[in-house]
Structures are given as structure tokens and as C-alpha cells.
Amino acid sequence: DRFAAAMAAPVAARRVLLPLYAFNVEVSRAPWVTSEPMIGEMRLQWWRDALEEIGAARPVRRHEVTVPLAEVLHAPLASQLDELIAARRWDLYTDAFEDTAHFQDYLKKTGGRLMWISAHLLGAHVTAASAIVALGSATALVRFLAAVPDLEARGRIPLIDGRKGAVAELAKTALAAYPGRLRDHAGIPRKARAALIEAWQTRPLLEQIARAPERVAEGRVGLSEFEKRVRLFLATF
């Protein structure tokens, strides 16, 4: 979905979005390419070291993702991406989240942080940070809930409370915190809106889960292909 959003963005914005999204793919898949947590830790550390090189303005290790990433990322934001990697360590192990705060922090540091960095590099002002992080966190929640059956099949405990009422409450809480029309926010210039396109399905899917939380356990979170295409088209304006 992120790459579909990136390809729907203006060409100039793709130069920023594609390296960031590719970085996120590499980091998010690192814990899943091995059944050995220690090997997964080593893979994540490799990316943390790459970010340290970028943050210190040193020559970055050669990789098809690190080189273009170093061209668009500056030092302060490199440290924020490091927190994204640290949050992904949860994916390495079978432990449940400690509590709701831990789960929300995971969503914020993965989806929320990535959306904010993308938007900031495209010109979004810090006054818009909290709203953009909220949108990114809500988008991460939708993706996480859609992945629950797969996570359980892999031996994970994705939800603190998997009962339908608790799942519906997660969606309702995210809807209550959902930011308003960000395209009207003074701190988000038109160019930076490209970073928000990836949330084109977020609100309707949260509403779907709030109405029918059983869809999560059944693996039926999603919109029709027609509605997805229409919403993606509208999100580009």
C-alpha cells in the first residue's frame, strides 16, 4: 500500500518517499527472515549502524537502499528512524506487548514516526508533527490488525485482549483521535501532502473494524478493489 501511495505521489516527492519506504520494508522484514532472534538482532543492528553513519555524515555502507536514503535523510531524523528500528525488536520475539501503552508506542514509533519523517522531509512544519504522527499511528494500527491472523500463525501474541469488544475499542479510540482535514493545516504545504497518501484507506477501515471487529480474527479487514482505487485517486488531490 505504501508503494502504491508513493507511485501516486508527484514525481519529485517519490525521491524522498521511495528510499524511506524501501528502508521500512528492509527493517520490517528483517525479524521474519529467520527463526533465530539473535540473527534478527544482527540484521536490525546492521541498519542501525547504517543510520549512525548517515547521522554522523560519514560515508554510508553500499546498499541499494542506504545510498539513496543518505541522499535525502539528515542527521536529526536519522536518530528518529533508529527508534523505529528499536521498536521493531518486538517482532523478533514471541512475548506479548507489556500493556496498552507499549502497544501504542510501537505503533507511534513505526507507522507514526515514518509518516512524520516523510512529511517533514517534504516540507511539513513541526507544528503539524502531532497530527501527522496520529495519522501514521492510526494507519499502522489498521495494518497491524489486518495482520493479526498471520502473526498468530507465526506464534506471536499480537493483541493484549483479542475479544471483539476490545478490538472494536482499539478502532474507536483511533477514530476519536483521528486528525481533521490535514490538507488544510497551515504546517503542511501541498508538496508534503504526498506523505499522507498512504493513509487513503485508514479511516474507512477503522470504521469497518469498529462496526465488525470479528473481521480481524477472520482475516477479512479490507476494502473492495474498486473502493481502494477510488480512494487512492481521491487522496492525491
Side-chain angles (χ1 to χ4, degrees), residues 137-224:
S137 299
T139 303
L141 173 63
V142 165
R143 291 186 176 126
F144 189 91
L145 292 177
V148 161
D150 183 58
L151 290 169
E152 291 178 336
R154 292 170 179 259
R156 301 302 196 267
I157 307 173
L159 298 174
I160 298 170
D161 186 345
R163 291 175 296 180
K164 290 192 294 184
V167 172
E169 190 59 33
L170 283 173
K172 291 175 182 177
T173 299
L175 284 168
Y178 203 84
R181 284 176 55 86
L182 291 185
R183 67 178 57 198
D184 297 330
H185 196 296
I188 307 177
R190 184 175 182 83
K191 181 181 178 182
R193 294 180 203 163
L196 313 183
I197 295 175
E198 65 154 310
W200 91 87
Q201 300 180 79
T202 301
R203 189 176 190 94
L205 288 179
L206 286 174
E207 292 170 344
Q208 180 186 91
I209 295 166
R211 288 193 310 270
E214 66 276 5
R215 281 177 170 265
V216 170
E218 295 169 358
R220 295 192 300 113
V221 175
L223 305 177
S224 69

XYZ file of all heavy atoms in Angstrom, residues 137-224:
663
model
N 0.071 6.641 13.067
C -0.174 5.605 14.075
C -1.487 4.878 13.799
O -1.574 3.651 13.953
C -0.203 6.228 15.471
O 1.034 6.840 15.781
N -2.505 5.630 13.396
C -3.791 5.015 13.059
C -3.651 4.098 11.850
O -4.240 3.008 11.797
C -4.834 6.099 12.784
N -2.850 4.529 10.888
C -2.608 3.710 9.704
C -1.858 2.438 10.080
O -2.159 1.347 9.582
C -1.816 4.517 8.659
O -2.546 5.713 8.342
C -1.594 3.719 7.387
N -0.894 2.566 10.984
C -0.159 1.393 11.458
C -1.084 0.433 12.200
O -0.945 -0.791 12.091
C 0.988 1.830 12.366
N -2.032 0.974 12.956
C -2.982 0.125 13.677
C -3.807 -0.710 12.710
O -3.989 -1.923 12.913
C -3.906 0.988 14.542
C -5.061 0.238 15.222
C -4.533 -0.801 16.206
C -6.002 1.216 15.927
N -4.305 -0.086 11.660
C -5.104 -0.812 10.675
C -4.293 -1.952 10.063
O -4.777 -3.088 9.944
C -5.598 0.155 9.576
C -6.099 -0.620 8.367
C -6.705 1.047 10.114
N -3.064 -1.661 9.691
C -2.225 -2.702 9.082
C -1.921 -3.813 10.084
O -1.882 -4.991 9.725
C -0.929 -2.074 8.562
C -1.149 -1.158 7.372
C 0.164 -0.680 6.792
N -0.074 0.121 5.593
C 0.394 1.338 5.404
N 1.135 1.910 6.328
N 0.138 1.995 4.291
N -1.693 -3.428 11.326
C -1.395 -4.421 12.352
C -2.600 -5.334 12.576
O -2.454 -6.565 12.640
C -1.015 -3.721 13.656
C -0.482 -4.649 14.712
C 0.873 -4.910 14.814
C -1.345 -5.271 15.612
C 1.365 -5.773 15.781
C -0.867 -6.133 16.578
C 0.494 -6.388 16.664
N -3.778 -4.754 12.685
C -4.976 -5.565 12.908
C -5.253 -6.480 11.720
O -5.690 -7.623 11.898
C -6.178 -4.658 13.186
C -6.124 -3.883 14.510
C -7.338 -2.966 14.644
C -6.045 -4.828 15.701
N -4.985 -5.995 10.524
C -5.173 -6.841 9.342
C -4.212 -8.025 9.350
O -4.500 -9.078 8.766
C -4.984 -6.011 8.073
N -3.077 -7.866 10.026
C -2.052 -8.916 10.054
C -2.199 -9.872 11.232
O -1.411 -10.813 11.360
C -0.667 -8.276 10.097
N -3.185 -9.664 12.088
C -3.325 -10.478 13.301
C -3.365 -11.982 13.020
O -2.648 -12.756 13.673
C -4.555 -10.025 14.119
C -4.993 -11.103 15.109
C -4.225 -8.743 14.875
N -4.170 -12.471 12.076
C -4.173 -13.921 11.837
C -2.797 -14.467 11.452
O -2.399 -15.544 11.910
C -5.178 -14.087 10.686
C -6.091 -12.914 10.824
C -5.196 -11.784 11.258
N -2.066 -13.721 10.634
C -0.730 -14.168 10.230
C 0.230 -14.153 11.413
O 1.040 -15.075 11.580
C -0.202 -13.278 9.108
C 1.162 -13.735 8.604
O 1.271 -14.897 8.170
O 2.119 -12.945 8.666
N 0.144 -13.121 12.240
C 1.013 -13.046 13.415
C 0.742 -14.210 14.365
O 1.677 -14.815 14.911
C 0.804 -11.713 14.138
C 1.323 -10.466 13.416
C 0.824 -9.201 14.103
C 2.847 -10.473 13.363
N -0.519 -14.534 14.554
C -0.861 -15.662 15.424
C -0.363 -16.977 14.835
O 0.113 -17.853 15.571
C -2.368 -15.698 15.648
C -2.872 -14.535 16.502
C -4.371 -14.543 16.695
O -5.080 -15.133 15.841
O -4.846 -13.957 17.679
N -0.452 -17.109 13.518
C 0.035 -18.324 12.867
C 1.546 -18.478 13.028
O 2.071 -19.591 13.013
C -0.330 -18.304 11.381
N 2.236 -17.357 13.223
C 3.688 -17.376 13.414
C 4.075 -17.488 14.888
O 5.239 -17.332 15.239
C 4.306 -16.113 12.813
C 4.235 -16.046 11.288
C 4.652 -14.668 10.798
N 4.630 -14.559 9.351
C 5.704 -14.632 8.567
N 6.899 -14.831 9.101
N 5.605 -14.512 7.262
N 3.094 -17.727 15.728
C 3.379 -17.943 17.138
C 3.450 -16.690 17.981
O 3.907 -16.731 19.127
N 2.994 -15.561 17.431
C 3.023 -14.315 18.181
C 1.722 -14.119 18.959
O 0.707 -14.757 18.676
C 3.243 -13.118 17.253
C 4.528 -13.162 16.443
C 5.759 -13.268 17.337
N 6.987 -12.950 16.634
C 7.770 -13.833 16.035
N 7.437 -15.116 16.035
N 8.883 -13.461 15.425
N 1.782 -13.208 19.927
C 0.591 -12.810 20.683
C 0.369 -11.330 20.369
O 0.835 -10.447 21.095
C 0.783 -13.024 22.195
C 1.233 -14.460 22.476
C -0.506 -12.710 22.954
C 1.612 -14.707 23.922
N -0.311 -11.029 19.274
C -0.374 -9.642 18.805
C -1.232 -8.705 19.645
O -0.940 -7.510 19.728
C -0.937 -9.776 17.388
C -1.700 -11.061 17.409
C -0.965 -11.960 18.350
N -2.289 -9.234 20.251
C -3.227 -8.370 20.959
C -3.233 -8.660 22.453
O -3.229 -9.816 22.874
C -4.640 -8.548 20.398
C -4.815 -8.178 18.921
C -6.211 -8.543 18.448
C -4.543 -6.694 18.700
N -3.265 -7.602 23.227
C -3.364 -7.752 24.677
C -4.703 -8.379 25.034
O -4.798 -9.231 25.921
C -3.204 -6.374 25.358
C -1.812 -5.815 25.051
C -3.421 -6.477 26.863
C -1.629 -4.376 25.460
N -5.738 -7.968 24.328
C -7.082 -8.515 24.512
C -7.688 -8.687 23.126
O -7.985 -7.707 22.448
C -7.930 -7.566 25.361
C -9.295 -8.150 25.714
O -9.703 -9.145 25.079
O -9.949 -7.600 26.622
N -7.843 -9.926 22.705
C -8.341 -10.195 21.364
C -9.842 -10.341 21.261
O -10.359 -10.644 20.177
N -10.553 -10.104 22.355
C -12.011 -10.199 22.289
C -12.583 -9.096 21.405
O -11.998 -8.016 21.276
C -12.603 -10.120 23.693
C -12.287 -11.352 24.555
C -12.781 -11.173 25.970
N -12.085 -10.072 26.652
C -12.341 -9.713 27.909
N -13.274 -10.346 28.603
N -11.668 -8.713 28.459
N -13.727 -9.379 20.804
C -14.296 -8.448 19.828
C -14.505 -7.051 20.401
O -14.224 -6.050 19.730
C -15.620 -9.000 19.285
C -15.462 -10.208 18.384
C -16.749 -10.540 17.656
C -17.835 -10.986 18.604
N -19.069 -11.398 17.869
N -14.983 -6.969 21.621
C -15.220 -5.662 22.218
C -13.944 -4.856 22.361
O -13.926 -3.639 22.111
N -12.865 -5.528 22.746
C -11.583 -4.837 22.916
C -11.014 -4.396 21.569
O -10.436 -3.309 21.453
C -10.595 -5.749 23.636
N -11.187 -5.234 20.557
C -10.706 -4.880 19.215
C -11.488 -3.681 18.680
O -10.910 -2.743 18.118
C -10.835 -6.085 18.264
C -10.532 -5.668 16.819
C -9.895 -7.207 18.697
N -12.798 -3.707 18.867
C -13.619 -2.575 18.428
C -13.204 -1.299 19.146
O -13.165 -0.216 18.545
C -15.099 -2.872 18.686
N -12.856 -1.421 20.416
C -12.457 -0.244 21.189
C -11.148 0.338 20.666
O -10.964 1.567 20.673
C -12.317 -0.613 22.664
C -12.136 0.576 23.587
C -13.289 1.568 23.517
O -14.445 1.149 23.294
O -13.024 2.782 23.676
N -10.227 -0.514 20.218
C -8.989 -0.012 19.617
C -9.302 0.877 18.415
O -8.731 1.962 18.255
C -8.103 -1.178 19.174
C -7.325 -1.936 20.243
C -6.638 -3.151 19.623
C -6.293 -1.030 20.905
N -10.213 0.398 17.570
C -10.581 1.171 16.380
C -11.304 2.457 16.762
O -11.040 3.524 16.192
C -11.454 0.320 15.461
N -12.195 2.385 17.732
C -12.949 3.573 18.144
C -12.032 4.622 18.772
O -12.207 5.825 18.547
C -14.048 3.169 19.125
C -15.171 2.356 18.491
C -16.172 1.879 19.535
C -17.264 1.023 18.904
N -18.206 0.485 19.929
N -11.059 4.162 19.544
C -10.108 5.099 20.152
C -9.290 5.806 19.081
O -9.049 7.017 19.154
C -9.175 4.354 21.124
O -9.965 3.754 22.161
C -8.166 5.302 21.749
N -8.866 5.053 18.074
C -8.104 5.653 16.975
C -8.960 6.640 16.193
O -8.483 7.697 15.771
C -7.573 4.558 16.052
N -10.230 6.323 16.012
C -11.129 7.238 15.306
C -11.343 8.522 16.106
O -11.411 9.617 15.539
C -12.472 6.559 15.041
C -12.493 5.534 13.900
C -13.784 4.728 13.928
C -12.328 6.231 12.550
N -11.432 8.382 17.426
C -11.630 9.560 18.272
C -10.427 10.497 18.208
O -10.570 11.721 18.329
C -11.885 9.130 19.714
N -9.237 9.915 18.018
C -8.014 10.721 17.956
C -7.639 11.088 16.524
O -6.617 11.746 16.301
C -6.862 9.949 18.603
N -8.463 10.677 15.570
C -8.137 10.878 14.158
C -8.092 12.368 13.835
O -9.020 13.115 14.160
C -9.190 10.198 13.286
C -8.724 9.848 11.896
C -8.022 8.671 11.660
C -8.987 10.683 10.815
C -7.595 8.331 10.388
C -8.566 10.354 9.542
C -7.871 9.173 9.329
O -7.443 8.850 8.062
N -7.003 12.828 13.211
C -6.896 14.260 12.907
C -7.895 14.692 11.847
O -8.373 13.882 11.052
C -5.453 14.402 12.404
C -5.097 13.051 11.889
C -5.816 12.071 12.767
N -8.201 15.973 11.844
C -9.137 16.522 10.863
C -8.509 16.624 9.484
O -7.570 15.901 9.154
N -9.008 17.532 8.683
C -8.524 17.689 7.307
C -7.107 18.257 7.315
O -6.909 19.465 7.403
C -9.467 18.606 6.525
C -10.765 17.936 6.104
C -11.686 18.943 5.427
N -11.043 19.612 4.304
C -11.007 19.136 3.062
N -11.548 17.961 2.783
N -10.432 19.815 2.091
N -6.139 17.372 7.203
C -4.749 17.814 7.274
C -4.344 18.632 6.052
O -3.389 19.406 6.123
C -3.823 16.607 7.428
C -3.911 15.874 8.768
C -2.859 14.772 8.848
C -3.728 16.838 9.925
N -5.061 18.469 4.963
C -4.703 19.258 3.782
C -4.943 20.751 4.015
O -4.425 21.591 3.285
C -5.481 18.779 2.556
C -6.975 19.006 2.595
C -7.621 18.532 1.299
N -7.321 17.137 1.043
C -7.443 16.560 -0.148
N -7.839 17.261 -1.182
N -7.173 15.283 -0.306
N -5.742 21.075 5.039
C -5.993 22.477 5.370
C -5.053 22.990 6.457
O -5.133 24.158 6.841
C -7.443 22.655 5.838
C -8.449 22.309 4.743
O -8.108 22.487 3.558
O -9.559 21.861 5.080
N -4.173 22.118 6.960
C -3.263 22.510 8.039
C -2.185 23.445 7.489
O -1.531 23.142 6.487
C -2.613 21.267 8.644
C -1.970 21.495 9.976
N -0.887 22.333 10.151
C -2.257 20.996 11.207
C -0.530 22.330 11.419
N -1.344 21.530 12.083
N -1.992 24.565 8.166
C -1.020 25.555 7.692
C 0.399 25.009 7.673
O 1.246 25.494 6.914
C -1.080 26.804 8.575
N 0.666 24.011 8.501
C 2.017 23.466 8.579
C 2.305 22.363 7.579
O 3.386 21.761 7.616
N 1.346 22.081 6.692
C 1.533 21.008 5.712
C 1.355 21.580 4.312
O 0.230 21.676 3.801
C 0.541 19.852 5.942
C 0.617 19.363 7.389
C 0.832 18.696 4.982
C -0.379 18.283 7.731
N 2.441 21.988 3.672
C 2.328 22.511 2.305
C 1.897 21.408 1.339
O 1.956 20.220 1.662
C 3.749 22.997 1.998
C 4.626 22.195 2.895
C 3.831 21.961 4.147
N 1.484 21.813 0.180
C 0.952 20.857 -0.798
C 1.934 19.716 -1.077
O 1.542 18.546 -1.169
C 0.599 21.581 -2.098
C -0.050 20.674 -3.135
C -0.507 21.449 -4.355
N -1.161 20.579 -5.310
C -2.434 20.204 -5.250
N -3.197 20.649 -4.268
N -2.956 19.400 -6.154
N 3.211 20.048 -1.208
C 4.199 19.013 -1.514
C 4.244 17.947 -0.429
O 4.396 16.751 -0.713
C 5.582 19.653 -1.675
C 6.682 18.667 -2.024
C 8.030 19.366 -2.156
C 9.136 18.363 -2.452
N 10.466 19.017 -2.545
N 4.092 18.356 0.832
C 4.191 17.414 1.952
C 2.983 16.492 2.047
O 3.054 15.442 2.704
C 4.368 18.180 3.257
N 1.887 16.861 1.404
C 0.699 16.004 1.457
C 0.954 14.639 0.827
O 0.235 13.675 1.103
C -0.466 16.674 0.733
C -0.977 17.943 1.383
C -2.116 18.506 0.567
N -2.307 19.927 0.793
C -2.994 20.718 -0.015
N -3.556 20.218 -1.106
N -3.123 22.000 0.252
N 1.975 14.556 -0.009
C 2.288 13.272 -0.644
C 2.588 12.199 0.395
O 2.331 11.012 0.170
C 3.474 13.436 -1.592
N 3.125 12.609 1.545
C 3.448 11.644 2.597
C 2.201 11.116 3.293
O 2.271 10.106 4.003
C 4.376 12.284 3.624
N 1.072 11.785 3.101
C -0.167 11.381 3.759
C -1.013 10.455 2.893
O -1.992 9.884 3.377
C -0.994 12.623 4.128
C -0.254 13.777 4.820
C -1.245 14.881 5.177
C 0.493 13.295 6.049
N -0.643 10.310 1.632
C -1.453 9.497 0.717
C -1.582 8.067 1.218
O -2.618 7.424 1.046
C -0.850 9.519 -0.704
C -0.909 10.938 -1.287
C -1.593 8.555 -1.628
C -0.220 11.068 -2.643
N -0.532 7.557 1.888
C -0.567 6.156 2.324
C -1.705 5.859 3.300
O -2.032 4.700 3.540
C 0.761 5.756 2.952
C 1.098 6.473 4.239
C 2.032 5.656 5.116
O 1.739 4.472 5.351
O 3.040 6.213 5.561
N -2.328 6.900 3.840
C -3.447 6.702 4.772
C -4.791 6.690 4.052
O -5.828 6.857 4.696
C -3.433 7.800 5.836
N -4.775 6.452 2.751
C -6.017 6.601 1.994
C -7.102 5.606 2.414
O -8.290 5.855 2.229
C -5.734 6.525 0.494
C -5.801 5.181 -0.171
C -6.916 4.598 -0.693
C -4.726 4.282 -0.437
N -6.601 3.389 -1.261
C -5.260 3.170 -1.125
C -3.362 4.303 -0.173
C -4.484 2.096 -1.531
C -2.583 3.242 -0.582
C -3.135 2.154 -1.246
N -6.726 4.493 3.030
C -7.730 3.515 3.465
C -7.994 3.547 4.972
O -8.866 2.836 5.462
C -7.264 2.100 3.115
C -7.025 1.838 1.650
C -6.559 0.416 1.428
O -7.356 -0.521 1.422
N -5.260 0.244 1.264
N -7.241 4.345 5.700
C -7.226 4.219 7.156
C -8.582 4.448 7.806
O -9.065 3.607 8.576
C -6.183 5.180 7.759
O -4.893 4.854 7.217
C -6.143 5.049 9.268
N -9.197 5.578 7.532
C -10.455 5.881 8.222
C -11.565 4.869 7.901
O -12.219 4.357 8.824
C -10.920 7.304 7.911
C -12.102 7.719 8.775
C -12.536 9.156 8.564
N -13.497 9.530 9.587
C -13.195 10.120 10.724
N -11.942 10.434 10.991
N -14.124 10.406 11.608
N -11.821 4.543 6.625
C -12.887 3.564 6.365
C -12.604 2.192 6.967
O -13.537 1.493 7.380
C -12.961 3.507 4.834
C -11.675 4.065 4.354
C -11.272 5.083 5.371
N -11.334 1.804 7.056
C -11.023 0.507 7.654
C -11.193 0.541 9.171
O -11.644 -0.443 9.773
C -9.609 0.071 7.279
C -9.433 -0.370 5.826
C -7.994 -0.763 5.545
C -10.373 -1.529 5.485
N -10.852 1.652 9.797
C -11.119 1.778 11.233
C -12.621 1.699 11.498
O -13.064 1.049 12.457
C -10.561 3.098 11.762
C -9.042 3.200 11.922
C -8.652 4.620 12.308
C -8.528 2.212 12.965
N -13.396 2.352 10.662
C -14.854 2.310 10.818
C -15.376 0.892 10.599
O -16.283 0.434 11.303
C -15.502 3.290 9.839
C -15.209 4.753 10.174
C -15.648 5.711 9.085
O -15.900 5.243 7.946
O -15.717 6.926 9.359
N -14.783 0.190 9.644
C -15.178 -1.195 9.382
C -14.900 -2.074 10.598
O -15.745 -2.877 11.016
C -14.408 -1.720 8.165
C -14.726 -3.149 7.783
C -13.820 -3.640 6.661
O -12.762 -4.198 6.913
N -14.231 -3.419 5.415
N -13.724 -1.919 11.186
C -13.345 -2.729 12.349
C -14.198 -2.375 13.562
O -14.594 -3.249 14.338
C -11.849 -2.545 12.655
C -11.011 -3.103 11.501
C -11.466 -3.234 13.966
C -9.556 -2.687 11.541
N -14.497 -1.091 13.729
C -15.340 -0.672 14.852
C -16.734 -1.288 14.746
O -17.332 -1.674 15.757
C -15.429 0.850 14.897
N -17.244 -1.395 13.512
C -18.579 -1.966 13.298
C -18.569 -3.489 13.396
O -19.505 -4.090 13.933
C -19.115 -1.578 11.912
C -19.522 -0.149 11.734
C -20.319 0.012 10.441
N -19.643 -0.591 9.299
C -18.783 0.054 8.508
N -18.489 1.318 8.756
N -18.223 -0.562 7.487
N -17.537 -4.100 12.839
C -17.492 -5.563 12.746
C -16.109 -6.066 13.156
O -15.310 -6.482 12.311
C -17.828 -6.006 11.321
N -15.786 -6.023 14.446
C -14.440 -6.406 14.904
C -14.083 -7.863 14.629
O -12.899 -8.213 14.621
C -14.488 -6.113 16.404
C -15.943 -6.151 16.760
C -16.654 -5.605 15.560
N -15.084 -8.708 14.392
C -14.793 -10.110 14.095
C -14.006 -10.270 12.796
O -13.354 -11.301 12.565
C -16.088 -10.921 14.013
C -17.021 -10.568 12.866
C -17.939 -9.389 13.175
O -17.798 -8.779 14.260
O -18.798 -9.087 12.324
N -14.026 -9.248 11.948
C -13.267 -9.302 10.700
C -11.769 -9.465 10.961
O -11.050 -10.035 10.137
C -13.496 -8.026 9.886
C -14.813 -7.982 9.124
C -14.971 -6.646 8.425
N -16.087 -6.628 7.499
C -15.990 -6.862 6.188
N -14.813 -7.140 5.662
N -17.055 -6.822 5.414
N -11.290 -8.956 12.091
C -9.862 -9.050 12.402
C -9.454 -10.509 12.563
O -8.523 -10.989 11.909
C -9.529 -8.237 13.670
C -8.100 -8.520 14.132
C -9.715 -6.746 13.401
N -10.135 -11.238 13.431
C -9.808 -12.646 13.661
C -10.039 -13.491 12.414
O -9.345 -14.489 12.186
C -10.631 -13.187 14.825
N -11.001 -13.072 11.597
C -11.333 -13.835 10.395
C -10.450 -13.478 9.204
O -10.566 -14.086 8.138
C -12.803 -13.597 10.029
C -13.782 -14.122 11.077
C -15.206 -13.642 10.842
O -15.421 -12.868 9.872
O -16.095 -14.024 11.617
N -9.593 -12.485 9.367
C -8.724 -12.073 8.270
C -9.471 -11.399 7.138
O -9.076 -11.514 5.973
N -10.523 -10.655 7.479
C -11.356 -10.026 6.448
C -11.343 -8.499 6.535
O -12.302 -7.844 6.158
C -12.794 -10.537 6.547
C -12.960 -12.007 6.250
C -14.420 -12.398 6.075
N -15.218 -12.124 7.260
C -16.179 -11.204 7.313
N -16.445 -10.440 6.265
N -16.873 -11.033 8.431
N -10.253 -7.938 7.013
C -10.127 -6.481 7.042
C -9.705 -6.010 5.655
O -8.673 -6.430 5.142
C -9.088 -6.031 8.085
C -8.880 -4.520 8.010
C -9.528 -6.445 9.485
N -10.502 -5.165 5.050
C -10.130 -4.680 3.723
C -11.299 -4.088 2.968
O -12.464 -4.349 3.286
N -10.977 -3.279 1.973
C -11.971 -2.671 1.104
C -12.001 -3.411 -0.223
O -11.072 -4.153 -0.558
C -11.622 -1.192 0.857
C -11.428 -0.308 2.094
C -11.016 1.098 1.661
C -12.688 -0.262 2.941
N -13.051 -3.194 -0.978
C -13.117 -3.778 -2.318
C -12.059 -3.112 -3.199
O -11.615 -1.993 -2.924
C -14.502 -3.559 -2.923
O -14.707 -2.177 -3.210
